[in-house]
Structure formats: C-alpha cells, structure tokens
Amino acid sequence: MNSTEFIHRPVMVEKVVSLLVTGPGDYIDATVGLGGHAEQILEAAGPESRLLGLDLDPRALAVAARRLGRFGPRARLVRANFADIAEVAAREGFVPARGVLFDLGVGSHQLEDAAAGFSFQAAGPLDMRYDPDAPLTAADLVNKLPEAELAGIIRRYGEEPRARRIAREIVRARPISTTDELARVVVRAVGTARGRIHPATRTFMALRIAVNRELENLSRGLEGAVKILGRGGRIAVISFHSLEDRIVKEFFRRESRDCLCPPGLPVCVCGHRAVLRDLTRRPVTPDEAEVRTNPRARSVTPDEAEVRTNPRARSAKLRAAEKVAEAA
Ligand SMILES: C[S@@+](CC[C@H](N)C(=O)[O-])C[C@H]1O[C@@H](n2cnc3c(N)ncnc32)[C@H](O)[C@@H]1O
C-alpha cells in the first residue's frame, strides 16, 4: 500500500469514540485493521492512555504500525485472533481495560486486494482468509464440501434463499479456483442482478464467514472482552450482518440481566448476575435516513458523507455496553 493507504474513513468513528472513550486508560481495538478507529481512540483518550491493537492480517498490521507510529509505545500491535482476547490482553498487560472495540468483518483494504480473494469484482484466487497462514481457504470449501453442506453454509451465513441451486451449480462446475469463476457460476445458477446487489454477494459473504469461523470467534471474543474490562469499562461492536448483530444483541441482553431462569420458577436457581448495562437498546446506524429523506440537504454531516462514499457503512450497526460488575 502507498500514500493512499489511509483514505478509508473508519465507520461511524465519532459515534464509536463518544460511546467507547470515557477517560484515560488502556483501550483494546480487537480488529485494528488499518488503525483508523485506533488512531481516533488514542487521540480522544489522551496522552496517558495506551491502545492494544489486534488483527489476524499481517498486511493490515503493517499499515496500522505506520499510521500509529507517532504514538510510540502507547500503541502496541499484536497479530492474534480476538477469540483469544482475554489471554492476549493479560499477557500484554492490558487488564483491566477501559474500552474494547470490535469492528467486524472484512475491511475495505482486504476487499480491494485481489490477491486476498474476498471480492468477485477483482479476479483473484479463492482465498478469503484474514490470517494468510490459516489452514482452510474458500477454495477448499467450494471444491471439497458435499453439496448439501455447501448449500447449508450459503443459506445460513449468506441468508441466500437460492442456496441449493447455487450449491448444485458449484458442484457441477468444480474445480473452481478463482473469485471471478465462482461469481460466473453463481450468475449461471440464479441469473444476473436485478437490483443494485450482485447475485454472488451473499455466496461470497457466506464463504468468508465460514472460512474465518466469524460467528464462533465473535461469541468467544465477547465473552473474553467482558472478562478483561474494568468496572465502568465499555465494549462497542460494529457489525454488518444480521447474524452478527443478533449475537451481540443477545449477548448484551443476557449479560444485562440478573436471572436467566425460565419464567414461572418461584425462586432463581441460576444465580446469574448482570455484569453489563446495555447502552444502545436500538443499534446506532450511520445517518443515512437524512440523506434519503432530504437528498437536497445543503449540509452534509460526516456520517452522510461516509455513507455516500463508503458503501460498506450502509449496513453498519453499532452497539455498546458498560461493565457494571464482575461475574458472580
Ligand atoms: C473492518 S476491518 C477493521 C477496520 C479498522 N477498524 C480501521 O479503522 O481500519 C476488520 C479487521 O478485523 C480483522 N479480523 C477479522 N476477524 C478477526 C479475528 N477473529 N481476530 C482478529 N482480527 C480479525 C480483519 O483482518 C480486518 O483487518
């Protein structure tokens, strides 16, 4: 990457900073990417604060290192899976943390890198790994899974109603080794796009989620983050997928309740105690509605500009919670 490497505006950055940063302390960016959010968190938290940035992608970490270099030892970057956040934070001396951010999914930097194989818009190998040393690629799934399993992945993670038809066509066309080949196979199965969304979008998203075990990692990451937060510390999560958002919403809801016993029991037998206070009962989204309802509005807020220039921001949902107690 070159001097244009920092052009992507981090998603909802002002909202993230205002929900996450409550004063000086140690912060963790669990998906540091190119370091856009991390930079603003460090700025807002002040000179006594530190930030630990995690990412699986060494190419992203190299960019983040250049971007955050001016903070010296206040910014520490580690190649790690956020599923292991509790162990990594303890090892690096970042417990208790004052705030933890997850900005989930694939970054623009990865979508634009044809060699990483995330996008059907650029011809590249069918890879889709955030961690280039991970054993499983999208090509492995596409070429080796039984048809029914492939259809299950495309339906569940892609929420794709035509999953069976797509899986059948993939199996017929095997072996498939590039992103553009796979995109053509999906188009053959379901026809060309009717709306703005390319017909292969959901299939690619499903494969990416499966390759990187994204939903399992998220659940483990949330559990770990809550363990290492200090009291009053905050967790913020930006998600782009309804399954991810559901996991976050249900986790925050569950951990904000004192008892999880089924209704009707005369006394609590579970002993569960609330450790979080949900700060966003409804997810925060970029201010897109304003753009739609008043397209001729003269003033463009940063979020509106972001949605216009960063299509990835369109589906973003931000939720946050505050730690109120240690687990029982
Ligand atoms: C949307 S980008 C983050 C962008 C970042 N907030 C910024 O401002 O540049 C998501 C990043 O999370 C990383 N990632 C995805 N799953 C991960 C995991 N389980 N552990 C660590 N990093 C992960 C990806 O490699 C990617 O760089």
Side-chain angles (χ1 to χ4, degrees), residues 144-156:
K144 293 185 190 154
L145 281 186
E147 184 178 318
E149 236 174 280
L150 201 51
I153 285 177
I154 298 171
R155 182 176 311 105
R156 175 150 176 258

Side-chain angles (χ1 to χ4, degrees), residues 78-284:
V78 173
R79 184 175 171 192
N81 189 326
F82 62 58
D84 302 321
I85 189 168
E87 297 76 24
V88 178
R91 193 181 69 217
E92 300 294 330
F94 274 72
V95 183
R98 181 124 193 184
V100 179
L101 171 66
F102 294 84
D103 175 17
L104 299 171
V106 63
S108 320
H109 55 288
Q110 290 155 329
L111 280 173
E112 285 161 13
D113 179 1
F118 284 101
S119 171
F120 45 79
Q121 272 155 355
L126 255 189
D127 190 322
M128 302 196 195
R129 292 168 298 174
Y130 298 130
D131 175 357
D133 297 326
L136 194 75
T137 67
D140 293 327
L141 297 185
V142 160
N143 292 313
K144 293 185 190 154
L145 281 186
E147 184 178 318
E149 236 174 280
L150 201 51
I153 285 177
I154 298 171
R155 182 176 311 105
R156 175 150 176 258
Y157 297 148
E159 297 177 317
E160 168 59 87
R162 296 160 300 180
R164 275 175 63 180
R165 222 190 297 170
I166 294 171
R168 197 178 318 135
E169 194 61 37
I170 287 177
V171 169
R172 208 178 287 159
R174 284 172 178 176
I176 301 171
S177 54
T178 62
T179 50
D180 51 327
E181 247 181 293
L182 177 62
R184 280 198 299 274
V185 171
V186 176
V187 169
R188 210 151 63 223
V190 298
T192 45
R194 263 182 246 134
R196 267 184 310 126
I197 297 191
H198 189 283
T201 306
R202 291 168 182 275
T203 300
F204 272 67
M205 181 172 72
L207 290 170
R208 194 203 81 212
I209 290 174
V211 164
N212 295 291
R213 306 176 63 86
E214 293 186 27
L215 304 184
E216 296 91 324
N217 285 337
L218 174 59
S219 297
R220 283 180 53 201
L222 293 173
E223 301 273 354
V226 168
K227 278 193 200 135
I228 57 171
L229 277 179
R231 193 182 282 216
R234 291 185 170 190
I235 175 169
V237 187
I238 307 171
S239 63
F240 297 86
H241 188 294
S242 56
L243 294 176
E244 285 170 350
D245 184 56
R246 196 177 314 149
I247 290 174
V248 179
K249 179 174 78 181
E250 284 172 6
F251 179 79
F252 284 0
R253 197 170 284 170
R254 189 177 70 240
E255 294 307 327
S256 307
R257 285 177 48 189
D258 259 343
C259 165
L260 303 176
C261 290
L265 284 190
V267 287
C268 170
V269 291
C270 73
H272 188 267
R273 288 289 161 259
V275 291
L276 293 179
R277 179 168 69 93
D278 201 342
L279 299 171
T280 48
R281 294 187 79 87
R282 285 167 166 270
V284 177

Side-chain angles (χ1 to χ4, degrees), residues 3-150:
S3 56
T4 61
E5 64 193 2
F6 305 152
I7 56 170
H8 292 295
R9 192 175 177 277
V11 173
M12 286 191 275
V13 65
E14 289 85 7
K15 289 171 178 160
V16 166
V17 167
S18 74
L19 276 167
L20 189 72
V21 178
T22 52
D26 285 347
Y27 289 83
I28 303 178
D29 186 340
T31 51
V32 74
L34 305 187
H37 285 107
E39 183 176 36
Q40 297 306 315
I41 292 168
L42 276 164
E43 286 285 0
E48 275 133 56
S49 301
R50 299 186 302 161
L51 179 131
L52 173 64
L54 313 183
D55 208 293
L56 284 169
D57 182 350
R59 299 155 294 201
L61 285 170
V63 178
R66 287 198 287 283
R67 187 180 205 151
L68 303 177
R70 67 188 170 94
F71 296 102
R74 289 177 55 209
R76 175 143 183 70
L77 297 174
V78 173
R79 184 175 171 192
N81 189 326
F82 62 58
D84 302 321
I85 189 168
E87 297 76 24
V88 178
R91 193 181 69 217
E92 300 294 330
F94 274 72
V95 183
R98 181 124 193 184
V100 179
L101 171 66
F102 294 84
D103 175 17
L104 299 171
V106 63
S108 320
H109 55 288
Q110 290 155 329
L111 280 173
E112 285 161 13
D113 179 1
F118 284 101
S119 171
F120 45 79
Q121 272 155 355
L126 255 189
D127 190 322
M128 302 196 195
R129 292 168 298 174
Y130 298 130
D131 175 357
D133 297 326
L136 194 75
T137 67
D140 293 327
L141 297 185
V142 160
N143 292 313
K144 293 185 190 154
L145 281 186
E147 184 178 318
E149 236 174 280
L150 201 51

